[in-house]
Every structure is written in structure tokens, then in C-alpha cells.
Amino acid sequence: MSREIPLPSEKSAEAARRRLDRLTKPQGSLGRLEGLAVELAAATGEERPKVRPAGVLVMAGDHGVAAGGVSAYPPEVTAQMVLNFLRGGAAVNVLSRVAGAAVWVVDVGVGVEINPAGVGSTTGAAGSGAVFRVRKVRPGTADMTRGPAMSREEAERALDVGWSVAIEMIDSGIRLLALGEMGIGNTTAAAAVAAALTGWPEGDLVGLGTGIDPVRRQKKLQAVRRALAVNRPDPSDAVDVLSKVGGLEIAGLAGAALAGAARRVPVLMDGFIASAAVLAAVHIDSRALPYMFASHRSVEPGHGRILRWLGREPLFDLDLRLGEGTGAVLAMPMMEAAARILDEMATFEEAGVSDAEA
């Protein structure tokens, strides 16, 4: 399968603009929804884009750096939360039921074997627990403060996992792909990835993550600085960065983002970790950027910086900091609203309504 990413369709975007200006409303009166509709038309290549069915892809992986106490939670929580996803009891499950979205969970690097007996789904239907795929590249990364988190070959395999599962979701009918994650310690890895790719000061990127105190945040900041100093990742090579200071689930999400772009499926970023993955994906292939949509701005200090670097304005800011894809799922109705305005709203001519005077 080709991994070429097409250019956005300016023809579809212009057709969407013309239709928006003929709809029964003052021009521009729906504000950012109109711009979002045009972006969706350009991404999908459709004057009247469809973003249903929608699905959220939650990539799960453990991090060796978590043993250094950078999180408020112990590493075993990653596997426990995967089971929670499969039972349908996590926040992303609840919000996906509200949004009518399917949940897919992938073990790309959880530190232990997960026994999903009696939980999960094989259908991907919205409202079920979750589809579960085991595509483990390795059982968690190594401690990046002592050496590379993984080998380059492992990072490439994780990218391939994300690509292949995203393609599976798209082939099942998904028209809008949200990115989520689970991995204790992954805000530490995401901060290191962002610092390596942008050159920003680590202190501007390291936040409180799961709700750590200032003392633990300092430990987390030192871990990021040590990892960058020990591994010296190449900022011109995103795969090198992912392998040395990234995470298996971060690499997986980067691969999924590229797959969505290649298939003209809009990709909804969640918070800091998912956006760091998109940052890596855009470094791998800059043509992916127009297919990436920012759902929200989290309270993590590095998230807003990444969104500004990507040039993507978030749809809302609710002080979220959970991850899992929760913010991206919350944004799905806004994406659908923008698409349905183009598809269902009548023009002045269709409705027999008088237009504004010239």
C-alpha cells in the first residue's frame, strides 16, 4: 500500500467556500465552524465531507523512565487501565458513547501480558467496550535516562503498528480518526520528544502530568534533561528522536496520523502526548499537517507550544489533562456539525429565501 500523502483539494475547498456563502445566513456568521468546514472539504476531497462513523485509537505502552518516580501513579496502572478500557469503564469510553464513536485499544508496548478474556469487542461498534489488538513491539521502553528508549528498528515497527491499525479502522468505515494514549510516564517522554524536535527549553515543556507536586516535577524535568544529554537525539530525524527519547505508543500514534493523512481521513489530536506524536509525524512527512485537527488545549504547558508550532488552533479549552483521547472525542460533534452545515443547510435558492441586497 502506498504511503504517499496527497495534497489537500483546493477544488473541494473552494466549492465548500462558495456553498457556505450561499447558505441561508449572513456570510461568515457561523464563525470558525465555516473555516473548519472548508478545511474538512480540503482534507477529504469532498465538497460535502462526511465524518461519520468516527473512532478513537488508544495506543498503550509502558515507559522505563517511570521507575524513576516521574509520575504520581505506578507503572502497573497502564495495564490496569487497558482492562478498564476494554470493559468500557474509562472516561474515553463514556465520552465515546456520548459521541457515538468506536474505541480501539492497541497494546503496542505494555510491560505485561494482558488477558482480555471476557472483555472487549471484535466489532468496533460504538457503545461496546473496545476493540483490542495486541501488536506488542516490546514490553515497555528502556529507561531513557540511561540510554535509548528503544532501537531504531523498534521505533519503526511501532510506527508500522500505528499505520496498520489505523488503516484497519479506516477500512472498517471510520471517517474521522481521534488519537488517544495510555502509558504511565508518557508526558515525560512527550516533553523530551518535543524538546528534541523543536529546541525549546525543557522547563517550558515539562508540566504536572498526572498531578504531581513541584518536587516530583523537578525530578521529571531532570529526567528529561538527562535523557536528552545521554542520547543526543538528532532533531532532523524524527525516527531517531522517537527511538531515543520517545515511547512505543507515541511512535504508534505518529504512524496512525500518517495513515489518516494518506487516506484523506481527518485526524483529531487529543492533548500533549498525542500532539507530540503528531509533531513527530509532521517531521517525518510535512504533507500530513493539513489533515491534523486540534481538539482542545490542555493545561500541560507544552501543549499550547506544540499547537502553535503546528499552526493549529484548538476548538476549545476546558482545562483537560487526562489523555486517553478524551478531548478529541469531545470535539467530534463540532467536526460533525461543521460537515453537516455544508451537507444539510439550504442555500438561499433552495429555500426560496431572499438574499442580502447587493
Side-chain angles (χ1 to χ4, degrees):
M1 176 163 311
S2 171
R3 298 204 174 190
E4 282 293 308
I5 296 177
L7 293 174
S9 171
E10 182 53 39
K11 179 180 179 182
S12 297
E14 183 54 35
R17 289 188 196 98
R18 287 196 302 269
R19 179 168 176 80
L20 283 165
D21 286 347
R22 298 303 304 153
L23 297 180
T24 47
K25 60 175 180 58
Q27 290 186 9
S29 59
L30 283 174
R32 288 188 59 201
L33 273 183
E34 297 192 28
L36 181 58
V38 171
E39 287 187 79
L40 287 172
T44 61
E46 301 166 342
E47 178 185 343
R48 301 187 185 192
K50 303 292 188 296
V51 293
R52 290 290 181 178
V56 55
L57 174 57
V58 182
M59 304 290 292
D62 274 306
H63 295 259
V65 72
V70 296
S71 173
Y73 292 86
E76 56 264 29
V77 168
T78 301
Q80 293 167 354
M81 280 302 299
V82 168
L83 287 172
N84 195 21
F85 297 145
L86 300 185
R87 296 186 184 105
V92 70
N93 300 101
V94 175
L95 296 178
S96 292
R97 289 193 288 270
V98 172
V103 180
W104 289 54
V105 180
V106 179
D107 173 3
V108 66
V110 179
V112 298
E113 297 302 318
I114 295 174
N115 179 11
V119 297
S121 165
T122 59
T123 66
S128 63
V131 173
F132 186 45
R133 297 287 183 265
V134 178
R135 301 287 189 271
K136 199 189 300 284
V137 172
R138 57 177 283 170
T141 58
D143 184 351
M144 66 181 183
T145 66
R146 299 172 179 268
M150 63 187 112
S151 69
R152 185 181 184 92
E153 185 267 340
E154 288 166 336
E156 290 172 342
R157 283 171 57 199
L159 282 160
D160 287 341
V161 167
W163 174 282
S164 64
V165 176
I167 292 297
E168 183 184 358
M169 292 177 71
I170 294 165
D171 285 345
S172 77
I174 294 299
R175 303 290 296 271
L176 176 63
L177 178 64
L179 303 182
E181 40 60 43
M182 182 63 223
I184 298 301
N186 61 10
T187 56
T188 305
V193 168
L197 290 174
T198 64
W200 291 326
E202 300 89 344
D204 292 344
L205 298 167
V206 174
L208 300 180
T210 50
I212 58 177
D213 58 31
V215 173
R216 197 177 295 240
R217 179 191 174 275
Q218 190 62 29
K219 182 183 294 187
K220 181 178 176 179
L221 176 58
Q222 291 305 318
V224 171
R225 287 173 172 163
R226 281 198 303 273
L228 294 170
V230 166
N231 293 293
R232 301 176 64 83
D234 181 357
S236 68
D237 183 351
V239 179
D240 184 67
V241 171
L242 288 169
S243 68
K244 289 179 175 176
V245 298
L248 292 153
E249 82 280 35
I250 295 173
L253 290 178
L258 293 169
R263 283 293 195 91
R264 287 193 174 278
V265 170
V267 176
L268 262 174
M269 297 178 274
D270 187 35
F272 182 46
I273 297 100
S275 299
V278 167
L279 181 69
V282 170
H283 274 79
I284 292 170
D285 193 332
S286 61
R287 293 173 297 180
L289 182 56
Y291 299 89
M292 304 296 119
F293 293 80
S295 60
H296 73 109
R297 181 176 16 249
S298 82
V299 299
E300 280 291 303
H303 190 212
R305 286 179 171 270
I306 291 176
L307 294 182
R308 286 193 294 274
W309 190 96
L310 294 171
R312 310 307 283 169
E313 185 67 23
L315 294 173
F316 55 86
D317 186 342
L318 295 178
D319 292 337
L320 303 178
R321 57 178 178 86
L322 177 57
E324 302 178 7
T326 49
V329 170
L330 279 171
M332 285 177 176
M334 292 190 191
M335 301 286 280
E336 184 178 11
R340 290 177 65 171
I341 286 294
L342 272 174
D343 189 38
E344 299 178 16
M345 193 170 172
T347 64
F348 286 100
E349 293 81 4
E350 292 165 347
V353 174
S354 299
D355 197 352
E357 294 180 8

